[in-house]
Amino acid sequence: MTRRLLLSYLALALLVLAGLEIPLGYIYARGEISRASQNVERDASMLAEITEENIEKGNFGVLPDVVGDYATRTGGRVIVTDKQGIVLADSQPAGRTGVSLAAQPDIARALRNRPTVTTTTDTDGSEALSATMPGSSGTTIRGALRLTYPMAEVTGRIHNIWGALALAGACILAAVALAAFTLARWITRPLRTLEQATTQLADGHLDNPPDATTGPPELRSLAASFTHTAIRLQHLLKAQQAFASEASHQLKTPLTALRLRLENFEPYLDPRAHESLEEAVAEVERLNRMVHGLLALARLENTATTAEPVDLDAVIADRVATWEPLAAEQYVTLAITGSPAGRVWAIPGALEQIIDNLVANALRVSPPGTTITLHRTQGAELHIIDQGPGMTEADRARAFDRFWRASGSHHDGTGLGLPIVRHLVHASGGDITLNASPGSGLDVGVRLRPAVSGRSRGGSGPSRSARAVSTAP
């Protein structure tokens, strides 16, 4: 933002300078040319009077001295002709006398008592101012005088003033840049501290509150409001985390005690009540798992995490080795297929919990003799495919709702496993989908971001582990 403000100020200053200096330079150049033309015309008129007087008196020998002295002082060239256009004197040493210039337009006009002031090209190809005046007394024409003055000196003065204007503009731009940079830094300092504070708050802490003492009043007010909001939010998060932690300890003991008391009733109950007792114990077990699931979600949502590179293939192999004994007891096979996926971005511990929850859900619905396939595809995508009864399209649309269980479900799930999985996948920057697998069963697709070589912006910086409790057995 500092650079954009600086460029905006410089662009505005450059536009103002261009609007002022370009017309000023143009006006000055026109004025210099006009003054030079007037001076040449005046000098030519004066010299024409002097030479006319000498021609009238027959003092032709004085003419070379008159024009030579003027040419030496000013650098111009003077040619004097008689009334027939014959050159009487030329200030240029290489010039010839005695030649006729009557055919040249400006000399011809002067011999008709009509002066000419124009811009012409000198013999060396350079531009020059030319003034041709008649040497007359009343209506009597005794000769003509041509005065040419090179434009190099006038052009040099014009270029000098243009250079001075450019230098002044550059100095002004430098001063504007310095002032603009100082002003932009002053304006954006609260925004930079706000950005740093926002990054810290996203990571779950606020060590350096934004600066509310410098910058424009509006930004100081914004920084103060942000600090107040952030502090209040931290207090609320700490209170919620404290509640989750205390609830975890306070609820565990009563639920365990309730289960023990119910089990202790079994010897004293009528055999016909044993079935109801077992249902009550099962409900207590489900309540216990539900409490653990809610606490896991609370900890996940209240803990800021940063993704890190994780070897997906190693995690898959480790979790399959862990679940194979339980799957074997249910006569279910776990198979890993597809090409290696390599490293992916995931928050610490997330992949293990994702695979555990999805494999546990697949085991609950897989009949004996079937296979649960963990298939890897290109693009860091993992599919966990079972051969169970599957889900209808309507059930798949609601599967990630909390506490929701499929219609006609007979297992004792809490309805929190898939919401936890989705939260972990999204926190890792990935996506999860539910699709019907070919034949029967469910295909759960988890797409993560490949961890390419080097540090990615999404995974850079320190990370804080999210230690959520899995709802899988």
Side-chain angles (χ1 to χ4, degrees):
M1 186 173 182
T2 301
R3 183 173 65 253
R4 289 193 292 270
L5 285 175
L6 180 60
L7 292 177
S8 299
Y9 293 145
L10 288 178
L12 180 60
L14 185 61
L15 183 63
V16 172
L17 286 174
L20 292 176
E21 291 193 349
I22 291 177
L24 181 60
Y26 178 76
I27 292 172
Y28 177 82
R30 293 292 300 272
E32 280 293 314
I33 294 174
S34 177
R35 283 192 294 272
S37 297
Q38 292 173 3
N39 291 337
V40 169
E41 183 179 3
R42 182 194 63 209
D43 292 351
S45 298
M46 180 187 66
L47 288 173
E49 292 176 4
I50 295 174
T51 56
E52 186 271 334
E53 182 179 351
N54 285 290
I55 292 173
E56 181 183 6
K57 294 178 180 180
N59 298 330
F60 298 106
V62 179
L63 295 178
D65 295 333
V66 173
V67 299
D69 180 64
Y70 179 84
T72 301
R73 288 187 292 106
T74 62
R77 180 185 181 185
V78 183
I79 298 176
V80 180
T81 69
D82 61 9
K83 61 182 179 180
Q84 281 81 30
I86 304 299
V87 176
L88 299 177
D90 191 341
S91 63
Q92 191 176 54
R96 294 185 301 165
T97 59
V99 298
S100 176
L101 301 179
Q104 296 186 6
D106 59 331
I107 297 294
R109 285 172 58 87
L111 295 177
R112 293 194 300 269
N113 203 21
R114 297 173 63 185
T116 301
V117 180
T118 185
T119 302
T120 186
T121 302
D122 209 347
T123 55
D124 59 355
S126 60
E127 194 175 12
L129 290 172
S130 175
T132 306
M133 297 294 174
S136 62
S137 178
T139 58
T140 303
I141 305 298
R142 293 186 173 87
L145 181 140
R146 177 196 288 165
L147 171 60
T148 56
Y149 186 81
M151 288 286 291
E153 185 175 349
V154 178
T155 304
R157 289 198 299 269
I158 292 174
H159 289 170
N160 289 338
I161 193 64
W162 283 356
L165 289 174
L167 180 61
C171 293
I172 293 174
L173 280 178
V176 169
L178 181 60
F181 180 76
T182 303
L183 181 61
R185 294 283 293 180
W186 176 73
I187 291 175
T188 58
R189 175 176 172 78
L191 294 178
R192 293 193 302 272
T193 58
L194 269 173
E195 181 183 10
Q196 295 171 359
T198 303
T199 303
Q200 292 178 4
L201 189 62
D203 290 335
H205 60 94
L206 184 61
D207 299 328
N208 301 311
D211 187 4
T213 60
T214 60
E218 297 82 1
L219 292 180
R220 292 201 301 267
S221 176
L222 175 62
S225 300
F226 176 86
T227 301
H228 177 73
T229 303
I231 292 175
R232 180 170 176 78
L233 181 61
Q234 282 188 310
H235 287 166
L236 292 175
L237 289 176
K238 288 180 180 178
Q240 187 172 357
Q241 290 172 356
F243 169 77
S245 178
E246 292 174 2
S248 176
H249 293 287
Q250 297 298 327
L251 290 176
K252 183 177 180 180
T253 301
L255 289 174
T256 303
L258 179 59
R259 177 184 174 182
L260 291 175
R261 289 181 179 274
L262 289 175
E263 291 177 347
N264 290 334
F265 284 154
E266 184 176 3
Y268 306 101
L269 293 178
D270 188 281
R272 291 173 295 180
H274 286 178
E275 184 178 353
S276 298
L277 178 62
E278 291 175 357
E279 293 176 355
V281 172
E283 288 298 317
V284 172
E285 284 290 339
R286 195 171 73 88
L287 179 59
N288 188 42
R289 289 193 299 273
M290 188 178 297
V291 168
H292 279 281
L294 287 173
L295 294 176
L297 275 176
R299 281 194 290 270
L300 278 174
E301 294 170 351
N302 294 335
T303 303
T305 57
T306 303
E308 296 179 348
V310 181
D311 190 337
L312 178 58
D313 302 304
V315 173
I316 292 174
D318 176 71
R319 302 324 298 163
V320 167
T322 301
W323 282 94
E324 275 183 338
L326 182 59
E329 292 179 2
Q330 302 180 22
Y331 303 100
V332 175
T333 303
L334 297 181
I336 301 176
T337 62
S339 58
R343 296 169 68 82
V344 298
W345 290 105
I347 60 176
L351 282 181
E352 291 84 353
Q353 296 183 60
I354 292 171
I355 296 174
D356 284 347
N357 276 284
L358 295 179
V359 171
N361 289 342
L363 277 176
R364 289 194 187 100
V365 298
S366 295
T370 59
T371 300
I372 298 175
T373 304
L374 286 79
H375 180 70
R376 300 162 298 183
T377 62
Q378 292 183 350
E381 190 168 352
L382 171 65
H383 291 264
I384 298 181
I385 307 169
D386 63 60
Q387 296 176 329
M391 287 185 179
T392 64
E393 184 176 354
D395 288 344
R396 293 197 300 271
R398 296 197 56 194
F400 294 110
D401 295 345
R402 294 184 182 183
F403 305 113
W404 181 88
R405 292 190 294 172
S407 56
S409 175
H410 301 291
H411 62 77
D412 56 353
T414 61
L416 293 174
L418 285 179
I420 289 177
V421 169
R422 182 178 63 174
H423 184 92
L424 291 171
V425 172
H426 288 176
S428 300
D431 193 22
I432 182 170
T433 57
L434 301 179
N435 299 292
S437 65
S440 65
L442 186 66
D443 179 359
V444 183
V446 178
R447 180 183 293 275
L448 299 169
R449 295 177 299 152
V452 295
S453 60
R455 297 186 65 87
S456 169
R457 287 183 299 174
S460 61
S463 63
R464 298 177 60 192
S465 176
R467 300 186 179 278
V469 178
S470 171
T471 59

